[in-house]
Amino acid sequence: QVQLVESGGGLVQAGGSLRLACAASGRTFSSYGMGWFRQAPGKERERVAAITWGGGTILYANSVKGRFTISRDNAKNTVYLQMNRLKPEDTAVYYCAVEDVPGHYNIWGRGTQVTVSS
């Protein structure tokens, strides 16, 4: 059974940092792109970062560019999201997902809550 498990969320003050991790099991995802998404209450889910299977192409939402860094360790089947200079507007549930079909993310984790206090 394919499973993605996010970890590393929590409560942090504005300006602080968190590092999220997404561990995949049941399948090797080294050949697939991976993405981090977030959804805040009352808002649509947005993709904040994406990385291709080899890490050669990385994309960021404008709202996090320069503050967040996505990376992956294919040997560990894990993708990371380093979040620095966090803002209250970064508060959301963060999800990782696999781009198993080009342009589509069909495998999702359950999410991890990130709360940034002002």
Side-chain angles (χ1 to χ4, degrees):
Q1 183 178 357
V2 174
Q3 190 174 21
L4 299 176
V5 179
E6 300 95 337
S7 62
L11 173 64
V12 64
Q13 288 187 334
S17 299
L18 285 173
R19 189 192 194 206
L20 306 184
C22 171
S25 61
R27 182 177 177 182
T28 298
F29 292 106
S30 58
S31 298
Y32 299 95
M34 302 286 292
W36 281 100
F37 294 75
R38 69 185 181 187
Q39 187 165 22
K43 295 187 177 180
E44 292 187 356
R45 184 172 59 196
E46 66 167 333
R47 189 181 71 182
V48 296
I51 185 169
T52 51
W53 69 271
T57 300
I58 292 175
L59 301 173
Y60 295 103
N62 287 335
S63 57
V64 306
K65 201 172 292 184
R67 301 187 297 121
F68 289 13
T69 303
I70 188 171
S71 61
R72 66 189 297 165
D73 185 338
N74 287 336
K76 295 182 178 180
N77 233 14
T78 301
V79 64
Y80 303 95
L81 186 68
Q82 177 67 44
M83 305 186 296
N84 298 329
R85 303 198 308 277
L86 283 161
K87 304 175 181 179
E89 52 263 44
D90 294 318
T91 295
V93 178
Y94 284 71
Y95 302 88
C96 67
V98 178
E99 188 183 13
D100 56 325
V101 174
H104 298 274
Y105 295 84
N106 296 313
I107 303 172
W108 293 82
R110 293 189 174 185
T112 185
Q113 176 70 46
V114 171
T115 303
V116 184
S117 63
S118 57

